[in-house]
Amino acid sequence: MAVVELKGVAKNYGGAHKNAKAANAVENFNLTTRDGEFIVLVGPSGCGKSTTMRMIAGLEANTDGEIRIDGRDVSQVAARDRDIAMVFQSYALYPHMTVYDNMAFALSLKKVPKPEIEQRVNDAASILDITHLLDRKPRALSGGQRQRVALGRAIVRDPQVFLMDEPLSNLDAMLRVDMRAEIIKLHRKLGVTTFYVTHDQTEAMTMGERIVVMRDGHIQQIDTPNALYHAPNNVFVAGFIGTPSMNFLKMTLGGDGKTLTGQTARMVASSERQSIEAHKGRDLMVGVRPEHLVLTTDEAAANLIKGEIDVVEPLGSVTMVQLEVDGHRITAQLEGDTSVRMGDAIMLTCDSARLHLFDAETEQALPRHEHRTETA
Amino acid sequence: MSNDAVANAGDTASHQGAKRHGPPVKRLMAPAVLFLMVWMIVPLAMTVYYAFENYNLMMPTMRGFAGLGNFEILLTDGTFWAALGHTLTLVMACLAITVSLGLVLALLFNKTFLGRGVARTLAISPFFVMPVVTGLLFKNMLLHPVYGIVSWAMRTLGFEPIDWFAHYPMFSVILMISWEWTPFALLILLTGLQSLPEDQIEAVRLDGASRLQEFRHIVIPHLGQVLYVVVMLESIFFLTSFAEIYATTSGGPGTATTNLPYYIYQNAFFQYDIGLSSAAAIAAVILANIFAFFLIRFVAGNLNAGGQR
Amino acid sequence: MEQKSSLGLAVIGWLVAIVMFFPILWMVLTALKTEQSAFSMVPEFVFTPTLESFKTALSQNAGYWHYAFNSLFTSVMSTLIGLALAIPAAYAMAFYPSKRTDFTLVWMVSTKFIPAVGVLIPIFLVYKTLGLIDNNWGLIALFVGMNLPIMVWMVYSYFKDVPKDIVEAAEIDGASTLATMFRVILPLALPGLASTGLLALILAWNESFWSLTMADHNAATLAAFIASFKSAEGLFWAKMSAASVMTVAPIIVLGWFAQKQMVRGLTFGAVK
């Protein structure tokens, strides 16, 4: 168990790299974990989350900054000496070894006495409920079983840090939900500092104590799931976190610092925002989540979006509708029993407190005064 | 941050973390590289050197720089030109036969039929036969003008038996080499065919393509690369055919089947003319390189494609 | 309908197989005949088999075993030495590639395309000076040189097939380079190493150019043994066939097992 500190960590593949944009895979990554914290790195593919994890692992050298595990700078330490365990997306089990030998491998390299190895492997196996598989070879196991063995191989080591690189992405949807819960339970039980990489924001929201949202090698926001949902730092985070994605409308802020006018839509931003003065009379991106939009018949409502439904998706518990408003695609999540049809002209409204405002150029949020965000 | 790590950051694989503590890469490679240097590159350089020397083992006092003398003799030697011609005839004929026959057989063995595995295994066996054995087998038991089984078959069918190696020496050599190498083409083209994705065939069939169109537009383009490899590799081997000729015609009758390797062998081991045979060897190397150039480019291209997997 | 066409295919397929295999079959049949019936204007398809010719072939010249030992010794030793040189080189290139790796690999392949006659004369002269003519080790070195590019390439491609994740997992599990190599990579690549060895063995055993030019009696291999029947032509077909069968049979059988690997090795991994 340990505190992991990343200070100004960067990965630069150098000018020779074919893709100039990818040359800086990760830039200026700063994060300090609590002891035993569960950190999720999330972002679209190519955002640098895996590279960051591989730098922590020591599989890739950081070209700048320092990585400290329990206070020790490990930037120059080989992967084998960092005392970390990793669960790979492909599981990376040794195909020629039995499950037992897979789990015992690291301990036998460390010359741990045989009886102790046996004890530890058996303990780990029973925690993961794979005792009956110990004599099998990986190819004789199902995907879910391999996943458990991969976890077993990590926990048997009792390392300072766990790294998990998209460990669930090769499982089918049902199993993934089960394993998600299981990994969280395991983490609570063992209390080992864990980094977990995923591209799936649902996985990130359900598992992470804190989530690092990345894009193009840069940290966008580090926060708890709740904070990310309610106070995203910028348009990217706002759109990435939450399903379905947040709706955006380009609107002009009135001189009162509250009224927002689009081509047909209108809104009133109730709460005070930082730096609102500078934006008076200028364009803003206004975000509102689909689950916060409701049908209305009141044409005089302060917040009003009008449009014609072009897609209806009845999901039972809710009904999703899509419409085109002022050149933006708007999704609304309505009550399950709402009876709407394609072609219907509808009006939507929402609570002013649910509005998110972003600078149209920098795409940065105009945070509310009362909310103090924890930024990178 | 160490410069080393930065310098190595562009590498394809990502073992940089371990690189700083990695194995002595150069020392692991050195034995293999040195070996090839000593046994291939150094002798090749010496061949080039000898080609410009007056050097006959029978006339040890006559040594000295020859300039282009050896090449002059070579280029005015009718036998050399004949040998070059024979070499090219051999390569072209064997290529045409092995590749076309190999392709037909590959298509045949790509279909399922009873005992296909065993039949295929029998059909490729000639490739594993030692060339000297092939030579004696064809010269005697198969093509002997009196006692060969082919002569018997011709007599039985009412034809006059032929002394193949005397009257059609080049044809006979081509026949032998083709027998040995058709299995190679078959084997590689079959592997190529089997790697053709099933869904591509299904898609084109759903599009209503005829069997012929399917073959022309899907199978042949897919086999393109593989065909290329077969042609280039076989060229290299055919260019250096030796044992089959050694065991049967010894380059004859006359010089009818003397190819470049045999020409060099004779000049070196029977005329003891090191200079002249070295000059001929240079010609052989150049010829091989014309083919190798294209093949190596292909292999190198394949290497990069493979690296991205 | 489907049944019928597949029957037709079977007939054609088997016909092709028999035509291709016939020379080998005929050699085996001749080897089992007496000299008189082997040498007959009307070939005998039905006869009483005899092992007489094998017995005489075994004592021909210095005896089959002399040549067989040389063939076996040179091909096995050249294979082992080849593997010993190829494995470390391929390991370094596969797992610790640098900018020069591609060049080195391609350079190694390109040496394979230097025709043997291109280096024949200097090697002959140097060997003569060093007393390596008609010497097993002289031949072994040549066989290694001949096969090394193919072997490096094959081992390299088998190493490349080991998933990168597994190598990294071993690294994270605390395995040193040596431990990774011996406990993870080599066991995983073992089937590939075996087929590389098999291919090298076959190629060395069948090698005829160097065997015929660089060996006389002491180091003469089976290629030279068979070639010695060249002059006795027309006289002892049964014995020649028996000797040929003993030379070719083990390799054909090995070849049957190594079919797929031959493809990969001989095409430098371009066709798998």
Side-chain angles (χ1 to χ4, degrees):
Chain A
M1 275 175 279
V3 168
V4 179
E5 293 164 86
L6 295 115
K7 285 184 193 157
V9 170
K11 178 73 189 178
N12 190 315
Y13 284 108
H17 204 272
K18 287 163 207 147
N19 187 344
K21 199 179 157 195
N24 285 316
V26 175
E27 277 185 274
N28 194 25
F29 193 106
N30 292 292
L31 171 69
T32 303
T33 70
R34 288 195 312 278
D35 188 9
E37 196 174 18
F38 197 106
I39 299 281
V40 175
L41 304 178
V42 70
S45 66
C47 70
K49 57 191 188 296
S50 283
T51 307
T52 305
M53 173 168 284
R54 293 172 58 81
M55 286 192 285
I56 300 171
L59 294 173
E60 289 194 37
N62 45 320
T63 48
D64 205 352
E66 58 181 50
I67 298 171
R68 288 180 182 276
I69 297 176
D70 209 12
R72 177 173 73 132
D73 184 357
V74 295
S75 299
Q76 298 295 317
V77 175
R80 72 179 68 94
D81 300 320
R82 289 194 185 185
D83 197 16
I84 36 135
M86 184 156 167
V87 179
F88 290 79
Q89 181 173 5
S90 64
Y91 314 140
L93 301 176
Y94 309 118
H96 58 297
M97 297 184 195
T98 61
V99 168
Y100 180 92
D101 289 335
N102 262 284
M103 291 169 69
F105 185 62
L107 298 179
S108 78
L109 286 169
K110 267 196 261 173
K111 307 256 185 290
V112 174
K114 280 244 158 66
E116 191 190 332
I117 293 180
E118 203 174 326
Q119 175 72 38
R120 283 166 72 173
V121 171
N122 285 332
D123 287 353
S126 74
I127 291 174
L128 289 159
D129 199 18
I130 49 172
T131 308
H132 59 295
L133 302 175
L134 285 176
D135 294 331
R136 297 218 198 143
K137 293 263 180 82
R139 85 175 74 85
L141 304 179
S142 70
Q145 288 169 333
R146 285 178 205 188
Q147 170 65 60
R148 282 167 188 274
V149 176
L151 283 172
R153 188 172 64 177
I155 65 174
V156 85
R157 300 248 321 261
D158 190 19
Q160 287 196 308
V161 181
F162 276 140
L163 303 175
M164 303 191 186
D165 190 2
E166 308 233 9
L168 303 182
S169 58
N170 286 345
L171 299 178
D172 61 51
M174 288 279 278
L175 207 49
R176 207 177 306 163
V177 174
D178 290 348
M179 282 309 291
R180 215 152 73 187
E182 196 134 0
I183 289 176
I184 296 167
K185 261 190 346 214
L186 201 61
H187 173 252
R188 256 187 226 130
K189 185 166 179 157
L190 303 171
V192 176
T193 310
T194 303
F195 283 83
Y196 186 106
V197 162
T198 180
H199 63 271
D200 178 351
Q201 63 90 22
T202 314
E203 218 167 275
M205 295 292 275
T206 50
M207 299 180 80
E209 288 175 50
R210 271 196 301 166
I211 298 171
V212 181
V213 184
M214 295 184 71
R215 179 200 196 186
D216 294 342
H218 291 270
I219 293 176
Q220 302 294 305
Q221 190 166 358
I222 302 178
D223 243 320
T224 61
N226 253 328
L228 284 179
Y229 181 84
H230 292 291
N233 268 356
N234 56 34
V235 172
F236 174 77
V237 175
F240 191 78
I241 298 294
T243 40
S245 287
M246 184 184 280
N247 299 303
F248 295 102
L249 284 163
K250 198 175 225 176
M251 302 178 105
T252 313
L253 183 65
D256 59 356
K258 284 188 175 174
T259 19
L260 293 152
T261 346
Q263 282 165 351
T264 62
R266 63 167 185 266
M267 303 276 180
V268 175
S270 59
S271 49
E272 283 291 306
R273 313 275 167 157
Q274 293 167 23
S275 71
I276 201 80
E277 284 302 322
H279 288 87
K280 280 179 184 166
R282 295 179 57 186
D283 281 351
L284 289 180
M285 290 295 274
V286 178
V288 58
R289 295 194 181 275
E291 54 270 39
H292 297 148
L293 286 170
V294 287
L295 275 178
T296 182
T297 50
D298 176 13
E299 202 152 350
N303 302 324
L304 193 71
I305 297 173
K306 285 193 287 194
E308 196 172 286
I309 297 177
D310 51 20
V311 178
V312 179
E313 295 171 323
L315 299 178
S317 61
V318 294
T319 295
M320 311 297 300
V321 299
Q322 290 186 25
L323 43 157
E324 187 99 3
V325 178
D326 300 353
H328 297 273
R329 183 124 293 265
I330 298 293
T331 304
Q333 176 177 318
L334 307 176
E335 301 276 323
D337 49 10
T338 316
S339 68
V340 286
R341 279 182 317 198
M342 232 162 84
D344 285 355
I346 56 167
M347 291 188 289
L348 297 165
T349 186
C350 67
D351 187 342
S352 285
R354 296 298 196 182
L355 294 179
H356 300 264
L357 302 188
F358 305 93
D359 185 303
E361 266 159 46
T362 65
E363 301 202 334
Q364 293 302 308
L366 278 55
R368 295 180 179 86
H369 276 305
E370 61 267 38
H371 185 87
R372 194 183 57 87
T373 46
E374 198 178 344
T375 51
Chain B
M1 205 62 241
S2 78
N3 287 327
D4 195 30
V6 179
N8 288 319
D11 289 353
T12 40
S14 37
H15 290 82
Q16 288 89 351
K19 189 143 199 160
R20 289 154 292 176
H21 312 265
V25 170
K26 279 190 184 135
R27 257 179 286 161
L28 289 174
M29 312 242 326
V33 171
L34 282 179
F35 193 96
L36 286 174
M37 279 288 189
V38 171
W39 258 270
M40 292 288 154
I41 305 302
V42 171
L44 183 65
M46 288 171 75
T47 301
V48 174
Y49 168 72
Y50 290 147
F52 294 95
E53 285 274 298
N54 279 318
Y55 190 5
N56 191 314
L57 292 179
M58 299 301 282
M59 295 175 275
T61 51
M62 295 278 287
R63 276 202 74 171
F65 183 65
L68 293 171
N70 288 317
F71 292 97
E72 268 179 55
I73 297 171
L74 192 68
L75 297 180
T76 50
D77 181 2
T79 316
F80 168 74
W81 289 106
L84 191 64
H86 295 147
T87 307
L88 291 175
T89 310
L90 192 83
V91 171
M92 292 307 165
C94 289
L95 272 182
I97 295 172
T98 56
V99 171
S100 51
L101 200 57
L103 181 58
V104 172
L105 297 190
L107 289 168
L108 175 65
F109 284 108
N110 196 32
K111 305 267 187 239
T112 340
F113 59 80
L114 189 69
R116 175 177 64 159
V118 180
R120 188 198 59 218
T121 301
L122 288 181
I124 60 156
S125 302
F127 186 64
F128 304 113
V129 175
M130 184 185 282
V132 183
V133 171
T134 307
L136 293 184
L137 177 60
F138 272 73
K139 189 185 180 190
N140 296 308
M141 280 89 84
L142 297 175
L143 298 182
H144 190 279
V146 180
Y147 300 103
I149 193 162
V150 172
S151 302
W152 166 76
M154 291 183 76
R155 275 196 305 275
T156 313
L157 297 171
F159 295 102
E160 194 64 23
I162 295 170
D163 187 349
W164 295 96
F165 279 98
H167 295 121
Y168 303 99
M170 188 47 98
F171 171 82
S172 308
V173 170
I174 290 169
L175 182 71
M176 281 192 300
I177 295 181
S178 299
W179 177 70
E180 285 181 316
W181 284 88
T182 301
F184 175 76
L186 159 63
L187 196 57
I188 292 186
L189 292 172
L190 184 61
T191 312
L193 278 179
Q194 284 164 349
S195 71
L196 181 66
E198 194 74 15
D199 52 1
Q200 266 190 41
I201 293 276
E202 279 166 7
V204 78
R205 282 193 189 151
L206 287 175
D207 285 345
S210 71
R211 282 297 159 94
L212 194 68
Q213 285 170 321
E214 177 189 316
F215 183 73
R216 257 196 57 202
H217 298 291
I218 302 295
V219 178
I220 288 294
H222 176 79
L223 279 186
Q225 279 202 347
V226 181
L227 273 168
Y228 188 86
V229 174
V230 171
V231 168
M232 287 301 144
L233 279 169
E234 286 196 348
S235 312
I236 302 291
F237 282 101
F238 295 161
L239 278 170
T240 56
S241 303
F242 177 78
E244 292 89 347
I245 294 170
Y246 176 93
T248 56
T249 64
S250 302
T255 58
T257 53
T258 299
N259 67 350
L260 222 37
Y262 210 81
Y263 175 82
I264 296 161
Y265 165 74
Q266 278 182 325
N267 269 296
F269 286 79
F270 296 101
Q271 309 296 325
Y272 303 106
D273 194 336
I274 300 303
L276 182 63
S277 39
S278 294
I282 298 303
V285 171
I286 291 171
L287 194 58
N289 270 285
I290 293 172
F291 286 89
F293 174 73
F294 292 102
L295 183 66
I296 287 170
R297 264 181 38 164
F298 175 79
V299 168
N302 205 61
L303 188 72
N304 290 334
Q308 275 155 19
R309 250 180 306 156
Chain C
M1 191 64 207
E2 194 64 34
Q3 194 66 27
K4 214 172 169 184
S5 76
S6 110
L7 189 71
L9 275 175
V11 171
I12 300 171
W14 275 94
L15 213 62
V16 165
I18 288 164
V19 168
M20 289 298 284
F21 194 71
F22 179 77
I24 298 171
L25 179 70
W26 192 238
M27 177 175 76
V28 175
L29 291 178
T30 309
L32 293 169
K33 291 175 183 174
T34 60
E35 290 297 347
Q36 291 93 318
S37 68
F39 209 67
S40 137
M41 292 221 5
V42 179
E44 293 177 16
F45 290 99
V46 181
F47 57 91
T48 323
T50 166
L51 292 175
E52 209 47 46
S53 307
F54 285 92
K55 279 184 201 150
T56 33
L58 286 174
S59 57
Q60 171 83 11
N61 292 347
Y64 169 82
W65 294 114
H66 171 72
Y67 304 101
F69 170 80
N70 283 337
S71 274
L72 194 66
F73 183 69
T74 50
S75 40
V76 168
M77 286 313 289
S78 67
T79 300
L80 293 180
I81 295 173
L83 283 172
L85 293 173
I87 290 174
Y91 179 82
M93 290 193 282
F95 296 111
Y96 302 93
S98 71
K99 279 164 197 141
R100 252 174 305 166
T101 301
D102 284 11
F103 173 79
T104 311
L105 269 172
V106 170
W107 174 75
M108 283 187 170
V109 180
S110 67
T111 64
K112 181 67 197 155
F113 297 121
I114 299 172
V117 287
V119 294
L120 168 70
I121 293 150
I123 285 186
F124 181 78
L125 294 175
V126 170
Y127 269 31
K128 215 170 149 191
T129 318
L130 298 178
L132 283 170
I133 301 279
D134 202 16
N135 178 310
N136 276 331
W137 290 103
L139 272 189
I140 288 168
L142 287 166
F143 292 171
V144 172
M146 169 183 86
N147 283 339
L148 194 54
I150 289 182
M151 296 176 84
V152 169
W153 195 278
M154 265 180 100
V155 175
Y156 172 80
S157 81
Y158 285 114
F159 280 165
K160 275 291 194 193
D161 279 356
V162 174
K164 206 180 76 186
D165 283 0
I166 288 181
V167 179
E168 291 182 349
E171 216 172 309
I172 286 186
D173 267 351
S176 65
T177 307
L178 275 185
T180 308
M181 178 151 170
F182 283 102
R183 293 185 63 175
V184 178
I185 292 164
L186 288 187
L188 279 177
L190 200 59
L193 297 180
S195 44
T196 306
L198 201 56
L199 178 63
L201 198 70
I202 291 173
L203 292 176
W205 180 281
N206 279 350
E207 205 290 323
S208 306
F209 182 77
W210 295 114
S211 317
L212 293 174
T213 51
M214 292 290 152
D216 184 20
H217 176 80
N218 289 330
T221 63
L222 284 168
F225 180 52
I226 301 298
S228 73
F229 286 93
K230 188 182 156 188
S231 46
E233 167 225 353
L235 290 176
F236 306 108
W237 284 9
K239 193 171 64 186
M240 181 173 79
S241 298
S244 298
V245 168
M246 288 189 289
T247 300
V248 161
I251 292 306
I252 292 188
V253 174
L254 282 186
W256 286 342
F257 289 108
Q259 289 177 40
K260 291 240 165 71
Q261 287 72 23
M262 307 257 338
V263 174
R264 186 163 175 163
L266 288 172
T267 61
F268 300 99
V271 180
K272 281 181 191 168

